[in-house]
């Protein structure tokens, strides 16, 4: 089968190679990949700015159909449409984080697509506990967005605990920002979405998803928009989804006293920001990274209830051989999510 492989350490060193199809073990599930989304993490593996263990197949945001199950496997059957929690591919299972379900902090963790083989290929084998059956009526392409959507579910519902009646600010209209917006709109939360010059198309998407107000900070001051939308009060919650110093500052300034701030994006460098805002307004600052298995269970219920659909976050579906084009679209911010599908 063809696979997109990081074959050696260093910048680049990624290409499509022909490799042997994986065999399904006794307590494993073999899945034929339908779609696998390109994520910033894949770009970082390509550029060697994210830890990886070559040779390794890239890709961790995927959906597919079960084609084989080991004889010890129950609860999953051949033909099932599924998505996979790839981040738990390898964990120690014994540290306090593993024991409390917070596997992402396990020192020995290795996720699919960088730590162990991922899904930019035709077949993967995983443990049954990583597999989630996609609810009836939810499409395989939408389900390929499960991994980033789970990050949004944790950030909005578990970490920030946004409530109906709140006014929210999402700063950064990239895929994660728009997935957070989907949830807030479904919950009936009034949401302002801010973006920078170059985010025009993404802000239009935010508007069509149901943002109460979109602000291009290249054209209009965020502070003015927030004042107008909140009657001068400030927003109750701010989700930083851009990873940019201006966005961090904008969020801290937009919050009302006792407001809640959640960092969801990576800045990738040290930045300056007005820390006194935290003191004078007695703000609560949190970070939200990844999700837990419980988040995935909640996400499947959200999918089943049908009020959140993700199709409009998908900009393009390309064959695996066009991976360069797909990666470039993401680098140039010309697309939201680009999915790759394997060619038989
Ligand atoms: Zn991802
Ligand atoms: Zn552990």
């Amino acid at each position: 089968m063809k696979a997109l492989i990081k074959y050696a350490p260093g910048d680049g060193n990624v290409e499509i190679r022909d490799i042997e199809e994986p065999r399904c073990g006794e307590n494993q599930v073999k899945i034929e990949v339908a779609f696998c989304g390109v994520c910033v993490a894949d770009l970082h593996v390509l550029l060697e700015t994210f830890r990886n263990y070559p040779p390794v197949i890239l890709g961790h945001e995927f959906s597919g159909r079960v084609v084989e199950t080991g004889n010890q496997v129950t609860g999953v059957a051949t033909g099932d449409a599924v998505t996979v929690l790839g981040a738990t591919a390898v964990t120690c299972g014994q540290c306090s984080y593993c024991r409390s379900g917070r596997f992402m902090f396990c020192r020995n963790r290795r996720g699919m697509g960088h730590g162990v083989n991922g899904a930019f290929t035709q077949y993967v084998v995983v443990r049954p506990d990583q597999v989630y059956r996609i609810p009836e009526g939810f499409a395989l392409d939408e389900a390929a967005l499960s991994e980033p959507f789970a990050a949004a579910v944790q950030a909005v519902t578990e970490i920030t605990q946004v409530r109906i009646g709140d006014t929210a600010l999402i700063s950064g209209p990239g895929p994660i920002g728009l997935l957070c917006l989907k949830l807030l709109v479904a919950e009936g939360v009034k949401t302002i979405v801010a973006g920078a010059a170059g985010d025009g198309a993404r802000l239009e998407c935010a508007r069509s998803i149901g943002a109460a107000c979109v602000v291009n900070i290249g054209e209009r001051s965020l502070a003015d928009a927030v004042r107008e939308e909140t009657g001068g009060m400030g927003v109750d919650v701010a989700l930083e989804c851009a990873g940019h110093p201006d966005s961090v500052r904008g969020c801290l300034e937009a919050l009302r006293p006792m407001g809640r701030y959640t960092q969801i994006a990576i800045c990738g460098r040290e930045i300056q920001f007005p820390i006194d805002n935290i003191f004078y307004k007695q703000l609560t600052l949190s970070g939200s990274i990844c999700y837990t298995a419980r988040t995935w269970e909640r996400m499947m219920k959200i999918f089943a209830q049908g009020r959140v659909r993700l199709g409009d976050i998908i900009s393009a579906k390309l064959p695996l051989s066009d991976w360069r084009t797909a990666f470039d679209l993401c680098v140039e911010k010309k697309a939201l999510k680009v999915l790759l599908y394997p060619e038989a």
Side-chain angles (χ1 to χ4, degrees):
M1 64 179 189
K2 300 249 189 292
L4 184 65
I5 292 188
K6 173 99 182 183
Y7 55 84
D11 187 1
N13 299 337
V14 168
E15 67 183 19
I16 302 254
R17 287 194 174 175
D18 241 318
I19 60 159
E20 210 171 313
E21 214 176 287
R23 232 178 312 214
C24 186
E26 285 209 321
N27 197 24
Q28 284 183 317
V29 179
K30 183 170 177 177
I31 296 163
E32 179 167 24
V33 177
F35 298 100
C36 184
V38 179
C39 173
V40 186
D42 297 308
L43 303 172
H44 283 299
V45 172
L46 170 70
L47 301 171
E48 199 65 8
T49 43
F50 190 92
R51 191 151 52 126
N52 62 85
Y53 302 84
V56 67
I57 302 173
L58 275 57
H60 59 273
E61 301 180 357
F62 68 102
S63 61
R65 278 196 191 277
V66 175
V67 289
E68 194 182 339
T69 57
N71 53 23
Q72 289 178 16
V73 174
T74 53
V76 197
T78 302
D80 283 352
V82 297
T83 180
V84 173
L85 205 178
T88 59
V90 177
T91 57
C92 81
Q94 293 180 353
C95 69
S96 64
Y97 299 112
C98 282
R99 284 173 191 269
S100 60
R102 302 281 169 183
F103 64 83
M104 67 285 244
F105 304 119
C106 174
R107 282 168 186 247
N108 297 313
R109 185 178 79 82
R110 285 195 193 190
M112 288 179 80
H114 42 88
V116 301
N117 279 341
F120 283 143
T121 186
Q122 198 171 1
Y123 296 102
V124 298
V125 291
V126 298
R127 293 188 315 272
D129 66 273
Q130 295 178 273
V131 176
Y132 289 79
R133 260 208 307 252
I134 300 165
E136 202 75 36
F138 209 71
L140 277 166
D141 57 352
E142 292 177 274
L145 274 66
S146 294
E147 196 270 344
F149 189 60
V153 172
Q154 172 174 287
V156 170
T157 70
E158 295 166 6
I159 302 284
T160 320
Q161 299 185 10
V162 185
R163 286 180 291 265
I164 185 159
D166 285 343
T167 299
L169 167 65
I170 291 173
S171 185
I176 285 285
L178 294 180
L179 290 171
C180 289
L181 176 64
K182 289 265 179 189
L183 279 164
L184 294 172
V185 168
E187 290 185 13
V189 174
K190 177 176 178 175
T191 307
I192 302 164
V193 178
D199 284 332
R202 292 175 164 199
L203 287 172
E204 272 319 304
C205 187
R207 196 192 297 280
S208 70
I209 289 169
C213 164
V214 301
V215 187
N216 185 333
I217 61 161
E219 294 164 2
R220 188 185 176 199
S221 129
L222 176 60
D224 284 351
V226 167
R227 214 172 291 126
E228 213 166 276
E229 293 294 328
T230 63
M233 292 291 287
V235 296
D236 300 284
V237 298
L239 307 175
E240 206 291 300
C241 301
H244 190 279
D246 293 345
S247 167
V248 172
R249 196 172 299 114
C251 286
L252 290 171
E253 285 168 357
L255 281 163
R256 69 164 170 85
M258 311 259 319
R260 306 189 302 285
Y261 173 109
T262 302
Q263 186 67 40
I264 309 171
I266 301 169
C267 285
R269 60 192 151 129
E270 287 188 21
I271 63 161
Q272 277 197 313
F273 65 91
I275 195 164
D276 284 351
N277 265 327
I278 301 167
F279 170 71
Y280 284 119
K281 293 200 277 189
Q282 201 169 303
L283 303 177
T284 302
L285 264 68
S286 309
S288 184
I289 180 168
C290 288
Y291 34 69
T292 63
R294 268 178 57 196
T295 319
W296 278 62
E297 277 165 31
R298 176 184 287 275
M299 173 169 65
M300 289 304 134
K301 290 181 198 161
I302 295 170
F303 288 166
Q305 288 174 8
R307 287 177 63 207
V308 177
R309 300 307 298 252
L310 305 179
D312 51 357
I313 307 286
I314 301 164
S315 310
K317 293 180 230 177
L318 301 171
L320 185 57
S321 53
D322 281 349
W323 69 275
R324 275 260 174 225
T325 312
F327 278 44
D328 288 346
L329 281 169
C330 295
V331 173
E332 294 157 14
K333 284 196 187 179
K334 282 188 182 146
L336 284 165
K337 268 290 161 193
V338 180
L339 307 184
L340 292 172
Y341 56 85
E343 298 137 285

